[in-house]
Amino acid sequence: ELEAIGDELGLAKAWRRIADAHWMSSQWGEQERALEHALRYAERTADARETGSILMRLAMGLYWGPTPAPEAIKRAEQALARAHDNRAVESTFLVSLAGLQAMSDHFEEARTLLARGESIAEELGFKLWFAGFSLVAADVELLAGDPAAGERRLRRGYEALKHVGERGILSTVASRLARTVYNQGRYDEAERLTKTSEQLSGRGDTASRIE
């Protein structure tokens, strides 16, 4: 119906909602395809806010999705150049690139990118995004072989999310934290965190259940 009346902004928003549905079920490849549709329509309308919202989702989709790291890095860098001075978009792509560089064993570059992305998010007051970035920050340290550092990053995010009463991302952080302490031999604590994650997550929270 939106196509029939030529409502390109409506189409951008509709495809973004479809992408969010795929995100909730951890279908990252489908999410990415839906976001590409959304972005195409949003850019035609020159709606900076809608375009930025789509790009922020695409940044995380490239990190969590099935695209191989070298290709994802290239696409993330290209998308970052399209940020048009949107600092929220810049922050998200910097963090995504940090995780992707860590996958490629470029740990110092990853930490530098992560620090830049987190600094912008903190400056903008994006508390939930900043806390959610702890999942990527932990991945960087775990891939670098430092589980203790990964645990510290996750605990920082966990406490921040708990403080503001957020449950969705908190359940995923809790499950990742459980796995991290389990890998350090603290099995009782890992079990407690697993139960916490189960209590926080809803039926549709696929990401926490996979963790």
Side-chain angles (χ1 to χ4, degrees):
E1 291 179 4
L2 292 167
E3 285 178 347
I5 63 174
D7 184 354
E8 293 191 324
L9 182 57
L11 283 162
K13 292 180 178 181
W15 276 107
R16 175 167 57 82
R17 296 292 186 179
I18 292 169
D20 285 347
H22 290 309
W23 165 60
M24 289 298 293
S25 57
S26 290
Q27 295 177 317
W28 294 102
E30 292 300 321
Q31 186 229 29
E32 187 179 328
R33 282 185 280 275
L35 287 173
E36 291 290 355
H37 284 298
L39 185 61
R40 184 169 64 252
Y41 287 117
E43 289 185 330
R44 288 178 187 171
T45 67
D47 188 304
R49 183 173 182 177
E50 183 64 26
T51 300
S53 181
I54 293 165
L55 283 169
M56 290 173 75
R57 287 163 167 79
L58 183 60
M60 289 294 101
L62 285 171
Y63 176 66
W64 294 109
T67 306
E71 180 185 344
I73 288 171
K74 182 178 179 180
R75 291 179 59 188
E77 289 175 341
Q78 291 172 342
L80 183 58
R82 296 154 67 186
H84 305 303
D85 298 322
N86 186 321
R87 301 203 77 207
V89 173
E90 181 184 2
S91 170
T92 313
F93 269 104
L94 285 169
V95 172
S96 175
L97 278 167
L100 292 167
Q101 291 291 354
M103 290 182 192
S104 304
D105 294 336
H106 302 147
F107 301 115
E108 289 309 312
E109 183 174 358
R111 292 184 179 109
T112 299
L113 290 165
L114 182 64
R116 287 172 56 196
E118 287 183 323
S119 177
I120 294 171
E122 197 166 26
E123 180 184 331
L124 294 174
F126 287 0
K127 294 181 179 179
L128 288 181
W129 279 97
F130 183 83
F133 288 161
S134 65
L135 290 164
V136 181
D139 282 349
V140 171
E141 299 303 337
L142 291 169
L143 287 167
D146 192 346
E151 180 186 347
R152 288 194 296 271
R153 300 307 301 267
L154 286 168
R155 288 198 181 279
R156 182 179 178 183
Y158 183 90
E159 292 302 323
L161 292 165
K162 188 176 178 181
H163 179 72
V164 298
E166 201 285 334
R167 295 173 62 91
I169 304 172
L170 181 61
S171 65
T172 306
V173 173
S175 63
R176 179 70 64 83
L177 188 55
R179 183 151 58 95
T180 302
V181 299
Y182 177 88
N183 289 337
Q184 296 178 75
R186 287 149 47 202
Y187 305 125
D188 291 342
E189 185 179 2
E191 184 177 14
R192 288 194 298 271
L193 285 163
T194 299
K195 290 179 179 178
T196 297
S197 177
E198 290 174 352
Q199 291 166 358
L200 290 167
S201 62
R203 289 186 177 181
D205 191 349
T206 307
S208 296
R209 297 179 183 277
I210 289 171
E211 281 289 340

PDB file of all heavy atoms in Angstrom, residues 6-7 9 14 112 136 146 169 186:
ATOM      1  N   GLY A   6       3.430   5.839  -3.157  1.00  0.00           N
ATOM      2  CA  GLY A   6       4.737   6.480  -3.276  1.00  0.00           C
ATOM      3  C   GLY A   6       5.255   7.087  -1.985  1.00  0.00           C
ATOM      4  O   GLY A   6       6.018   8.067  -2.016  1.00  0.00           O
ATOM      5  N   ASP A   7       4.883   6.508  -0.855  1.00  0.00           N
ATOM      6  CA  ASP A   7       5.310   7.039   0.453  1.00  0.00           C
ATOM      7  C   ASP A   7       6.664   6.419   0.818  1.00  0.00           C
ATOM      8  O   ASP A   7       6.738   5.393   1.497  1.00  0.00           O
ATOM      9  CB  ASP A   7       4.263   6.701   1.514  1.00  0.00           C
ATOM     10  CG  ASP A   7       4.590   7.306   2.877  1.00  0.00           C
ATOM     11  OD1 ASP A   7       5.686   7.884   3.029  1.00  0.00           O
ATOM     12  OD2 ASP A   7       3.755   7.195   3.787  1.00  0.00           O
ATOM     13  N   LEU A   9       9.121   7.608   2.784  1.00  0.00           N
ATOM     14  CA  LEU A   9       9.453   7.667   4.208  1.00  0.00           C
ATOM     15  C   LEU A   9       8.696   6.583   4.969  1.00  0.00           C
ATOM     16  O   LEU A   9       9.246   5.930   5.857  1.00  0.00           O
ATOM     17  CB  LEU A   9       9.117   9.044   4.782  1.00  0.00           C
ATOM     18  CG  LEU A   9       9.456   9.244   6.265  1.00  0.00           C
ATOM     19  CD1 LEU A   9      10.938   8.985   6.530  1.00  0.00           C
ATOM     20  CD2 LEU A   9       9.070  10.655   6.719  1.00  0.00           C
ATOM     21  N   ALA A  14       8.663   1.275   7.596  1.00  0.00           N
ATOM     22  CA  ALA A  14       8.104  -0.082   7.591  1.00  0.00           C
ATOM     23  C   ALA A  14       9.209  -1.132   7.505  1.00  0.00           C
ATOM     24  O   ALA A  14       9.205  -2.127   8.243  1.00  0.00           O
ATOM     25  CB  ALA A  14       7.139  -0.236   6.418  1.00  0.00           C
ATOM     26  N   THR A 112      41.371   1.027  20.268  1.00  0.00           N
ATOM     27  CA  THR A 112      41.353   2.456  19.928  1.00  0.00           C
ATOM     28  C   THR A 112      39.997   2.862  19.363  1.00  0.00           C
ATOM     29  O   THR A 112      39.416   3.884  19.765  1.00  0.00           O
ATOM     30  CB  THR A 112      42.461   2.772  18.915  1.00  0.00           C
ATOM     31  OG1 THR A 112      43.733   2.472  19.484  1.00  0.00           O
ATOM     32  CG2 THR A 112      42.430   4.247  18.519  1.00  0.00           C
ATOM     33  N   VAL A 136      30.313  -5.904  22.984  1.00  0.00           N
ATOM     34  CA  VAL A 136      31.389  -5.861  21.995  1.00  0.00           C
ATOM     35  C   VAL A 136      32.741  -5.690  22.681  1.00  0.00           C
ATOM     36  O   VAL A 136      33.731  -6.329  22.316  1.00  0.00           O
ATOM     37  CB  VAL A 136      31.158  -4.727  20.978  1.00  0.00           C
ATOM     38  CG1 VAL A 136      32.283  -4.701  19.938  1.00  0.00           C
ATOM     39  CG2 VAL A 136      29.807  -4.888  20.289  1.00  0.00           C
ATOM     40  N   ASP A 146      42.043 -12.271  27.187  1.00  0.00           N
ATOM     41  CA  ASP A 146      42.021 -11.680  28.524  1.00  0.00           C
ATOM     42  C   ASP A 146      40.606 -11.732  29.088  1.00  0.00           C
ATOM     43  O   ASP A 146      39.885 -10.726  29.094  1.00  0.00           O
ATOM     44  CB  ASP A 146      42.523 -10.240  28.466  1.00  0.00           C
ATOM     45  CG  ASP A 146      42.802  -9.661  29.852  1.00  0.00           C
ATOM     46  OD1 ASP A 146      42.361 -10.253  30.843  1.00  0.00           O
ATOM     47  OD2 ASP A 146      43.466  -8.604  29.924  1.00  0.00           O
ATOM     48  N   ILE A 169      18.429  -5.825  27.251  1.00  0.00           N
ATOM     49  CA  ILE A 169      19.866  -5.950  27.028  1.00  0.00           C
ATOM     50  C   ILE A 169      20.539  -6.546  28.257  1.00  0.00           C
ATOM     51  O   ILE A 169      21.500  -7.318  28.144  1.00  0.00           O
ATOM     52  CB  ILE A 169      20.488  -4.577  26.690  1.00  0.00           C
ATOM     53  CG1 ILE A 169      19.796  -3.954  25.491  1.00  0.00           C
ATOM     54  CG2 ILE A 169      21.989  -4.720  26.391  1.00  0.00           C
ATOM     55  CD1 ILE A 169      20.219  -2.532  25.201  1.00  0.00           C
ATOM     56  N   ARG A 186      34.541 -20.363  37.688  1.00  0.00           N
ATOM     57  CA  ARG A 186      33.658 -19.977  38.798  1.00  0.00           C
ATOM     58  C   ARG A 186      32.239 -20.437  38.469  1.00  0.00           C
ATOM     59  O   ARG A 186      31.392 -19.675  38.034  1.00  0.00           O
ATOM     60  CB  ARG A 186      33.753 -18.466  39.013  1.00  0.00           C
ATOM     61  CG  ARG A 186      35.089 -18.080  39.650  1.00  0.00           C
ATOM     62  CD  ARG A 186      35.619 -16.738  39.264  1.00  0.00           C
ATOM     63  NE  ARG A 186      34.647 -15.668  39.333  1.00  0.00           N
ATOM     64  CZ  ARG A 186      34.780 -14.539  38.642  1.00  0.00           C
ATOM     65  NH1 ARG A 186      35.832 -14.364  37.850  1.00  0.00           N
ATOM     66  NH2 ARG A 186      33.879 -13.595  38.745  1.00  0.00           N
TER      67      ARG A 186
END
